[in-house]
Amino acid sequence: MGYRRRNYSVTASTLQGLLPTRDCFLDRLRQQEELFATRLSAGILLRKTSSHREMEQMEEKEGGCCSGFISCLLGLALFLSQLIIFGVVALTVYWVFKFRGGIDLEKDPLLQFNSHIVLMVVGFAFFCGQAILSYRVFDCCKRSYARLVHLLLQLLGTACITVGFYVTFMHAHNQAVPHFRSVHTWLALATCGLFIFQLIFALFCFVLLLCCRRRTFSLRQRLVPVHASFGLVIFAMFVCTAITGLMQAQSDQIILPASYNQTAENILSLIPGSPQEQSDLIVKMLSCGLLALVVLLPTITNTSIRGGRGVFYRSN
């Protein structure tokens, strides 16, 4: 069979219709620029490298758009929160050693119980409080470094909380006191239970899921504000538990050291009144400091700049 060759005539108008016009090219370029600007304003750029071929989060070094005045206010609030955290820990140690006889893990059961107070305040107020603020304190570093510091502080806080819970449990067991008989103990049980759940949830979602980093990227990003807000709720529950515990410990008998001098102690501490009045005043100061942290920590962390998106955060 013969092969018949067909002739195709291509005119200039036909060729012009097949090629993209200049306006179409500019529209596509404009769409790409708008998409890039949207991702840049959100602080997230998704890229796929040739070696790893995975989605990574690239955050802006400056940490979002924030005016200079607001940045100064946040810096002042951060400094104030750090001052309160260190002050609460120092005042707790001073109160335990000056008005409750100190810490002794071998002889006196009351002195053994004092370690519970110090460990819980150090574990929750210091380590967990610093872990919440780690994304603000280390804002100039890479986000992965801030995550590592956050994880280490949470693990140190978990160790202190575990030992403190064990001390008070064994103290009640050795003294033949019924467990969970006060509001403080029930609040402590609920707070520690939620804290353990939060820790397991975070290890699963933000550590274990890194094995499938590309596929779980969007899921982990949606869980970040939930994790942050739930941590603030647990910290607020700790403050309620600590205040009830301080009120309960306030009724205990004051144990003054043998070298206690009324006049010298009043001059050095600048706290007037009898030892009982001084102890009551310190408890009130501790309670006010913890309540101030409940206000400051959400204010510092739940902002639209880097690392502070809460569960009710909505991007523009």
Side-chain angles (χ1 to χ4, degrees):
M1 296 177 63
Y3 176 75
R4 180 177 296 179
R5 184 177 181 180
R6 297 182 179 180
N7 295 326
Y8 294 93
S9 60
V10 180
T11 61
S13 60
T14 305
L15 184 61
Q16 186 177 4
L18 294 176
L19 295 177
T21 61
R22 179 175 176 272
D23 295 337
C24 182
F25 177 76
L26 292 178
D27 291 339
R28 291 181 180 178
L29 183 61
R30 192 178 299 109
Q31 292 176 1
Q32 293 293 332
E33 291 178 353
E34 291 177 356
L35 180 61
F36 180 80
T38 303
R39 291 179 177 179
L40 185 61
S41 62
I44 299 174
L45 290 177
L46 301 180
R47 68 177 183 182
K48 183 178 291 186
T49 59
S50 58
S51 59
H52 300 285
R53 289 188 173 275
E54 63 180 4
M55 300 170 67
E56 297 180 353
Q57 184 180 18
M58 298 180 60
E59 294 158 343
E60 294 177 281
K61 191 69 177 178
E62 295 78 13
C65 54
C66 189
S67 63
F69 179 72
I70 300 298
S71 298
C72 292
L73 288 181
L74 288 176
L76 180 61
L78 181 60
F79 173 76
L80 185 60
S81 63
Q82 293 288 347
L83 188 64
I84 293 176
I85 288 175
F86 281 95
V88 165
V89 174
L91 199 59
T92 302
V93 175
Y94 174 81
W95 178 62
V96 166
F97 279 88
K98 285 295 182 180
F99 299 100
R100 294 184 61 86
I103 297 175
D104 190 353
L105 300 178
E106 296 180 356
K107 298 179 180 179
D108 194 347
L110 180 60
L111 302 185
Q112 294 176 4
F113 181 76
N114 289 340
S115 62
H116 164 75
I117 301 175
V118 176
L119 287 172
M120 285 300 183
V121 171
V122 172
F124 268 113
F126 183 78
F127 285 119
C128 294
Q130 294 291 353
I132 293 174
L133 296 174
S134 60
Y135 291 102
R136 289 287 182 260
V137 177
F138 300 95
D139 187 62
C140 58
C141 303
K142 291 183 179 180
R143 190 64 178 271
S144 57
Y145 297 159
R147 289 195 188 99
L148 180 60
V149 173
H150 178 81
L151 177 61
L152 292 177
L153 289 173
Q154 289 287 8
L155 292 178
L156 290 174
T158 303
C160 292
I161 293 167
T162 303
V163 177
F165 189 86
Y166 174 78
V167 167
T168 185
F169 184 85
M170 294 305 299
H171 172 76
H173 179 74
N174 295 332
Q175 297 296 318
V177 177
H179 297 285
F180 307 111
R181 58 186 178 88
S182 62
V183 177
H184 169 71
T185 54
W186 281 102
L187 285 175
L189 182 63
T191 304
C192 292
L194 291 177
F195 180 80
I196 294 174
F197 173 78
Q198 169 85 332
L199 181 64
I200 297 175
F201 174 80
L203 291 176
F204 175 77
C205 295
F206 302 109
V207 177
L208 187 61
L209 289 184
L210 289 178
C211 299
C212 303
R213 189 172 185 177
R214 181 172 62 89
R215 295 184 178 181
T216 61
F217 178 80
S218 59
L219 175 62
R220 288 184 285 111
Q221 290 301 307
R222 288 194 296 267
L223 291 177
V224 166
V226 178
H227 172 70
S229 299
F230 197 60
L232 292 173
V233 171
I234 294 176
F235 189 86
M237 291 182 62
F238 153 71
V239 171
C240 296
T241 306
I243 292 176
T244 55
L246 290 173
M247 294 174 61
Q248 184 175 332
Q250 193 177 6
S251 60
D252 295 339
Q253 183 180 1
I254 294 179
I255 302 176
L256 297 176
S259 60
Y260 181 84
N261 184 287
Q262 179 74 29
T263 305
E265 289 293 330
N266 287 341
I267 294 176
L268 292 177
S269 61
L270 300 179
I271 300 177
S274 63
Q276 183 65 46
E277 293 176 350
Q278 294 179 8
S279 177
D280 295 343
L281 182 58
I282 290 177
V283 170
K284 295 175 183 177
M285 293 171 63
L286 288 173
S287 302
C288 293
L290 292 173
L291 288 175
L293 289 177
V294 175
V295 178
L296 285 174
L297 293 187
T299 303
I300 296 172
T301 56
N302 280 343
T303 54
S304 59
I305 63 177
R306 175 183 175 186
R309 287 179 290 178
V311 70
F312 300 109
Y313 171 79
R314 182 174 59 185
S315 60
N316 295 327

